[in-house]
Amino acid sequence: MSHERFYSRVNGPTLYRVNAVRWLDEVAPRHLAGGGDPRHVTEYLLASGWSNHSVPGYPHVLLESPDRRLHFTLEPEEDEFMSSRRVHPAQGHAWSAQFGIHTPVEIIAGFTDAVNSAGPRPEEAELWRLAASRGWTMRLAGRERAALSPDETAYLSRESSLAETPIHRWAVQVSVPLSEKRHRWIWNASIDEAAPPAALTGFIDALTDPTPLLRSEGQEPRHAFGFLDSRRSFVTPEQHRMQHLRRLEAAQRTGTNAPAPAPPLPRPARHKRHR
């Protein structure tokens, strides 16, 4: 199906019509960088053998893992406070992972890239040490622990339900202050602790990673105006597209959800703009 002649975001700029974009920006902190291109997640899953069950004419994406045990859904919600991206077992309700529409796709990919990876369940203390090693401040939330990002706009916590058999989940809330007592909510996410351990670790690793994210010029979200550090990147749109294609090729070769390592992004010393 040809789509190049349509005026639509499906035509790029990240993956296709890269010449329409003059440059890319490196945006930090990453949790305020905006959702980005969902194909960063979906095309990697498809390259890893997931099948597409989306219904033509309806604005959603339905993917199923090769063993038919997991489902990934991406669909718009009328209420942006609700989760628009979900990962869960195809049968039963053992666990779920849910992400708001403004969750950066690179952070979601920390979970989805590793959702089929095997590995031991990490100790809770290991995950807190990972966050602390990257400048997140440890807090107490009642009887539970929590961590606050260095810029104090992202809050990571481990919560438990009040049921007779408590269900533990990891939750993220991202907001920016409007005044002394008011905040603008940006996005939240929750992952049940029963989710695959490698995927949970991958999510927290991607969330707390201080490396900025690449966004097209003008793609930085308005809702985070004044809280972003944006720098012109030395990575060109074409180089960014090639990085994405190499990532897909690695997924096709392995046939698993093991993420391909990406080369470190250069940090420019000029063209700095605060937003």
Side-chain angles (χ1 to χ4, degrees), residues 172-191:
V172 179
Q173 297 181 359
V174 177
S175 63
V176 296
L178 296 176
S179 62
E180 184 176 350
K181 296 183 179 181
R182 295 176 59 240
H183 285 73
R184 176 186 294 150
W185 177 89
I186 306 298
W187 62 268
N188 60 11
S190 67
I191 300 174

Side-chain angles (χ1 to χ4, degrees), residues 9 25-37 80 101-107 151 153 174-176 178 184-187 212-231 273-275:
R9 281 180 293 179
D25 290 329
E26 296 178 14
V27 181
R30 57 172 37 207
H31 52 265
L32 292 179
D37 194 323
E80 68 171 9
I101 191 171
H102 297 302
T103 310
V105 292
E106 295 87 350
I107 295 178
D151 70 329
T153 61
V174 177
S175 63
V176 296
L178 296 176
R184 176 186 294 150
W185 177 89
I186 306 298
W187 62 268
L213 297 179
L214 287 176
R215 291 292 182 262
S216 303
E217 51 173 315
Q219 194 183 5
E220 295 91 340
R222 295 180 181 179
H223 52 243
F225 181 83
F227 297 91
L228 290 176
D229 181 3
S230 179
R231 299 169 181 261
R273 301 193 307 279
H274 291 282
R275 296 180 181 272

Side-chain angles (χ1 to χ4, degrees), residues 14-15 30-45 72 74 84-85 99-113 187 202-203 206-207 213-215 219 240 244 247:
T14 303
L15 308 182
R30 57 172 37 207
H31 52 265
L32 292 179
D37 194 323
R39 287 169 293 195
H40 184 81
V41 173
T42 58
E43 289 196 345
Y44 186 87
L45 292 178
F72 172 87
L74 189 166
S84 62
R85 298 169 172 88
F99 311 94
I101 191 171
H102 297 302
T103 310
V105 292
E106 295 87 350
I107 295 178
I108 297 176
F111 183 90
T112 56
D113 283 7
W187 62 268
F203 173 79
L207 171 70
L213 297 179
L214 287 176
R215 291 292 182 262
Q219 194 183 5
H240 189 207
H244 176 75
R247 183 169 174 266

Side-chain angles (χ1 to χ4, degrees), residues 75-84 86 101:
E75 51 193 346
E77 295 285 354
E78 293 183 5
D79 186 347
E80 68 171 9
F81 288 84
M82 298 181 66
S83 300
S84 62
R86 305 178 186 87
I101 191 171

Side-chain angles (χ1 to χ4, degrees), residues 47-65:
S48 301
W50 288 52
S51 54
N52 189 350
H53 296 268
S54 305
V55 178
Y58 192 79
H60 65 180
V61 175
L62 305 176
L63 304 183
E64 186 174 54
S65 62

